[in-house]
Amino acid sequence: MRWPRCWRQRGCPRSGYLSGIGQRIIGPLRLGGTSVPGTSPRIPPPRPRAYLPVEPGGTARPTDYTEMNPSLFGAAGEMISTTRDLNRFVAALLDGTLIPSHLLDKMKKPGVAGATYGLGLDWYDTTCGIRVYGNDGDALAYQAWSYSTADGRRQATVGLTSSRPADPAGTVHVLLDDAFCDR
């Protein structure tokens, strides 16, 4: 398992980036619901519609943002996945399919003392004491959270569109507690 040479040299052109992602992750994990649309505003189906409140003339009304250029957010917003593919990716990350265990161990260490985030990996301690690992992502009105137990036996992925300005993380934590705590 080798990373493309351009990644090791930190100067990967877009074609090398896409090739590396495709050869190393999307292809081997059979992530058929994952795409990298580049500058295309089209999100492949299945997909929910996404709305944000826009205030023309001071009156807020929902505006459809389903079609947007995801490359606005760089590589972080440019990859679009189904919840099934997110589950498959997180499981492969945690079971050692994608990276060796010594690198996963580094990802599980907080970047800052007392934090719950390491090198691209977040964790949440549920109310019943089960630690789950994963991450979240968002682009305008789309948001997703994907978490798994360390052994990969239990997973939960939440995808939503929201036009409300409030942070839904607290609600998502309640959902994670319900999913992992056998309530």
Side-chain angles (χ1 to χ4, degrees):
M1 292 194 275
R2 293 175 44 100
W3 288 96
R5 184 172 182 214
C6 61
W7 283 14
R8 292 192 308 264
Q9 296 174 352
R10 297 180 184 250
C12 198
R14 181 171 166 72
S15 61
Y17 157 79
L18 291 177
S19 174
I21 292 288
Q23 291 174 7
R24 175 98 167 98
I25 299 171
I26 295 174
L29 295 181
R30 298 183 322 275
L31 303 180
T34 296
S35 64
V36 184
T39 58
S40 171
R42 307 283 188 265
I43 298 174
R47 67 184 174 288
R49 303 219 54 93
Y51 297 88
L52 285 175
V54 175
E55 298 185 26
T59 304
R61 70 181 168 114
T63 302
D64 190 339
Y65 274 86
T66 303
E67 292 187 2
M68 64 171 166
N69 179 347
S71 69
L72 168 72
F73 304 100
E78 188 175 31
M79 190 169 293
I80 300 169
S81 292
T82 61
T83 54
R84 178 179 166 197
D85 280 4
L86 287 172
N87 278 343
R88 186 173 282 170
F89 172 80
V90 172
L93 176 65
L94 295 175
D95 74 10
T97 299
L98 291 178
I99 61 173
S101 60
H102 73 279
L103 294 178
L104 181 58
D105 290 343
K106 288 183 180 189
M107 291 179 75
K108 290 180 177 180
K109 291 189 172 123
V112 176
T116 61
Y117 189 81
L119 299 171
L121 189 65
D122 183 42
W123 52 92
Y124 171 66
D125 292 324
T126 64
T127 56
C128 61
I130 296 172
R131 177 166 282 183
V132 294
Y133 294 93
N135 209 328
D136 65 338
D138 61 83
L140 291 179
Y142 290 102
Q143 295 177 290
W145 292 259
S146 190
Y147 285 85
S148 175
T149 54
D151 63 10
R153 291 187 359 206
R154 298 192 70 179
Q155 296 177 294
T157 295
V158 178
L160 61 90
T161 64
S162 176
S163 61
R164 298 183 178 191
D167 182 4
T171 302
V172 171
H173 287 163
V174 171
L175 291 170
L176 293 175
D177 288 338
D178 285 348
F180 293 107
C181 291
D182 292 326
R183 294 183 181 178

